[in-house]
Amino acid sequence: MSATPITRAEPLRDAVYARIVELFWSGAYPPGTAVTEAALSRQLDVSRTPVREALLRLEAEGVLRSALAKGFTVRPLDAREAAELYPILGTLESLAVRTAGTPPPSVVRALEHILAELEDCTDPIRRWRLDSDWHAGLVAAAGNRQLQEMVSRVRTNLSRYELTYMRETVDRTEPDRQHLEILVEFASGDTDRAADLLTAHWEAGMRAVLNWLNPPADRP
């Protein structure tokens, strides 16, 4: 997949980071894949300096790891890390929902539209993007930029797990049902109830991913 072209109006450093994240979200770099500055520099048609800055940023955020003279690789999946990340994301998103207040009808309609697309979508990468857009819409309703940025960083890291998991898991009936239940409460203005349901949603997602990473039959 090719990244979206960078326009001159965009700050180069931020644009390069965003395009590289976009490539990760496309599934182009699964866990364990080597990521080279030179290849990305050619693909994005930019110098290696902003590419390296973006890769170092992704390393600091937990997506990549580097080794001397070996460059960067996408970090492998680890059950302990997943068990740490999911509650953080669930807590941050629930905080956003709890403080959002009753959303305007336009926000509710946009979230309903995404859920309708999700129900009909079978492509795992597209499903993940729609799922991410839906959650981002919930968080954005709070109008807290700092919280949005924190959620985005954790979600980018967690995407390694979710994208890989969704490729191998066909049935998404239960997460779709949970989304609808959350939205009903959120739209009604019962943000406390919506936040509690959202926390439970992320806990269920964590259990599913942990069971997938380490099936009960494989445990000692």
Side-chain angles (χ1 to χ4, degrees):
M1 174 182 173
S2 60
T4 305
I6 296 172
T7 65
R8 292 185 178 182
E10 294 179 273
L12 185 60
R13 179 181 300 176
D14 293 340
V16 169
Y17 171 82
R19 297 314 185 276
I20 292 175
V21 168
E22 187 178 290
L23 289 171
F24 283 124
W25 286 355
S26 75
Y29 291 95
T33 304
V35 182
T36 65
E37 295 174 35
L40 284 170
S41 177
R42 289 192 298 271
Q43 187 171 0
L44 298 175
D45 193 24
V46 296
S47 70
R48 293 177 63 166
T49 297
V51 170
R52 180 165 183 78
E53 289 177 351
L55 296 181
L56 288 170
R57 178 175 169 182
L58 286 166
E59 182 182 26
E61 292 174 353
V63 179
L64 303 177
R65 66 182 181 188
S66 63
L68 189 63
K70 292 185 179 180
F72 295 89
T73 57
V74 181
R75 290 180 60 198
L77 304 184
D78 177 79
R80 178 174 178 175
E81 182 186 44
E84 293 173 346
L85 287 173
Y86 271 92
I88 293 172
L89 186 55
T91 299
L92 292 173
E93 287 198 1
S94 296
L95 173 62
V97 166
R98 204 178 298 277
T99 58
T102 303
S106 59
V107 169
V108 175
R109 286 195 298 269
L111 293 172
E112 288 174 339
H113 179 72
I114 294 173
L115 290 189
E117 284 193 72
L118 263 174
E119 288 181 2
D120 297 331
C121 183
T122 57
D123 177 74
I125 294 175
R126 177 61 180 161
R127 276 195 61 90
W128 182 83
R129 293 301 295 265
L130 288 168
D131 185 280
S132 297
D133 288 346
W134 188 80
H135 281 271
L138 285 179
V139 174
N144 187 326
R145 291 185 181 180
Q146 295 298 320
L147 192 51
Q148 283 180 263
E149 290 178 4
M150 293 172 70
V151 167
S152 179
R153 287 195 294 270
V154 179
R155 193 74 195 253
T156 297
N157 196 351
L158 202 59
S159 67
R160 293 156 39 231
Y161 294 87
E162 294 194 310
L163 282 166
T164 309
Y165 173 72
M166 284 188 176
R167 286 196 192 95
E168 300 184 17
T169 306
V170 176
D171 185 10
R172 301 290 298 167
T173 304
E174 183 59 18
D176 286 351
R177 184 196 65 77
Q178 293 168 0
H179 286 151
L180 182 58
E181 190 177 14
I182 292 164
L183 182 56
V184 168
E185 301 298 338
F186 185 57
S188 74
D190 191 347
T191 54
D192 285 339
R193 174 63 177 159
D196 289 342
L197 290 171
L198 186 57
T199 298
H201 169 69
W202 281 115
E203 288 174 350
M206 178 184 69
R207 289 194 299 271
V209 168
L210 291 178
N211 285 333
W212 166 70
L213 287 169
N214 186 20
D218 294 345
R219 297 171 189 167

